Amino acid sequence: MPFSGRFSALAERLDGKPSGVWAVHDRACALQAAGEEVYLLSVGDPDLPTLPSTIDHAVESLREGRTHYAPGSGERNLREVIAAIEERSAGRPCSPDDIIVFPGATNAIYGVMSCLLDAGDEVIVAEPMYVGYRGIFAALGAKVVPVALEVSNGFFLNLERLSAAITDRTRVVFINTPGNPAGNMIPADQLRALADLCLRRDIWLASDEVYSMITFEDRHVSLRTAAERLENVIVIDGLSKSHAMTGWRLGWVVTHQELIEHLLHFSSATIFGCSQFVQDAAAFALQNDEEYMAEVRSEYKERRDFVCDRIASTPLLDCATPDAGMFVMVDVSGLNTDGMRFAENLLEEQRVSVLPGEGFGRSTRDYVRLSLAQPLSCLEESMNRIERFVIARGVDAAGAS
Ligand SMILES: Cc1ncc(COP(=O)(O)O)c(C=O)c1O
């Protein structure tokens, strides 16, 4: 008899159809594997190296035998370092007991949402939103209520629009500042107003701040800094992007202790602690990163300025200059096309891979996202190719009309 065991509903929900937007990236990787020269601007894995002294510290820690189980909420030393940074930036007390460490922000967000959302509950998410959130909400059976940012107004979060989306089933409002894909930063007064609105309506407000250290003109203001009261406030951060440590898997949550207790139960049941030597290295990185972070910011700023200047000088393309992060959203509607077709054709004709904007929500269907996580020389050649592609298309369009 054939085995007829079934999979859980959770497994089925997690097995959602892979988003079509990744097809372009997957094809680009396949072309690359087949030996073709392809420019990959479709992913956000920093090309910059992890700080060498952080690597040395991890190796030392391994040699010292830091290879055992760690406390469920994270190593005390790392939580003290994070709490001190929080205290300094937010100007209000933060205890190591307000912090729990996870293997990356993704797992941290999954843990937070697991502790707050039941199937059928509504979570309001500003859109365009990071692609990775969908799987988390799908797994939990939560209903995502997208609230479109004002795309043509610098991806501005309209609080009236958000407030109108709140219903009796809204349990969480989830924001991402600085945002992926748009690099928009939610100003302090808006964060404060939003926290207050959510508090009055008994709604949790969670903020994913993994790009907090990659800002250009203005420094990041955390939700914890801006909010007047912290009862309903949750901040998630991590080292993947800022410290080019995507593969180390290190993130954390800052919130009040009752939720931390629940997160500890979640963590105990699912991950049972993070690697000791990774946490040692993370604590070291956070205490020795002033020069490094200045260089990282300046590198991404140079790349951003270069790409935005080239977009501005390319006919039929447009972009809003991002305030932070590692991406530029490019409006391709001037070419009478949408982001998906633009990305597919660009890859076929010029071997440059970009991510179609519809992966982040309907409001950015006419956009593509360009990643700045590539060296300037690669961005330069990519932009040459994009320009050639656009000029050829533009001429075609003019010829056809
Ligand atoms: C907004 C946002 N949050 C979270 C993550 C994932 O972070 P981590 O590597 O810490 O899981 C990403 C990665 O691209 C992201 O863009």
Side-chain angles (χ1 to χ4, degrees), residues 206-285:
S207 180
D208 174 352
E209 304 188 358
V210 297
Y211 295 98
S212 60
M213 293 194 216
I214 310 177
T215 56
F216 306 128
E217 281 74 24
D218 298 319
R219 282 302 175 95
H220 164 76
V221 177
S222 168
L223 172 63
R224 277 193 93 256
T225 306
E228 208 168 313
R229 290 169 54 184
L230 296 179
E231 291 99 307
N232 62 333
V233 161
I234 305 153
V235 170
I236 297 128
D237 208 334
L239 295 188
S240 282
K241 309 295 175 166
S242 53
H243 291 69
M245 289 174 73
T246 47
W248 296 67
R249 311 311 299 137
L250 200 288
W252 61 84
V253 179
V254 191
T255 188
H256 65 80
Q257 291 175 21
E258 201 183 340
L259 177 54
I260 294 281
E261 279 294 310
H262 288 298
L263 287 168
L264 184 54
H265 300 150
F266 173 88
S267 166
S268 304
T270 52
I271 55 165
F272 210 60
C274 300
S275 309
Q276 288 180 317
F277 62 93
V278 170
Q279 295 190 70
D280 293 347
F284 176 87

Side-chain angles (χ1 to χ4, degrees), residues 48-57 243-245 248 284-286 288-293 295:
L48 305 174
T50 300
L51 192 61
S53 56
T54 301
I55 296 173
D56 291 343
H57 197 83
H243 291 69
M245 289 174 73
W248 296 67
F284 176 87
L286 284 166
N288 294 279
D289 63 356
E290 209 168 310
E291 220 176 288
Y292 175 78
M293 282 317 306
E295 283 167 20

Side-chain angles (χ1 to χ4, degrees), residues 32-60:
Q32 211 171 40
E36 288 210 35
E37 190 180 41
V38 180
Y39 289 83
L40 275 188
L41 304 193
S42 38
V43 277
D45 193 349
D47 62 308
L48 305 174
T50 300
L51 192 61
S53 56
T54 301
I55 296 173
D56 291 343
H57 197 83
V59 173
E60 269 167 43

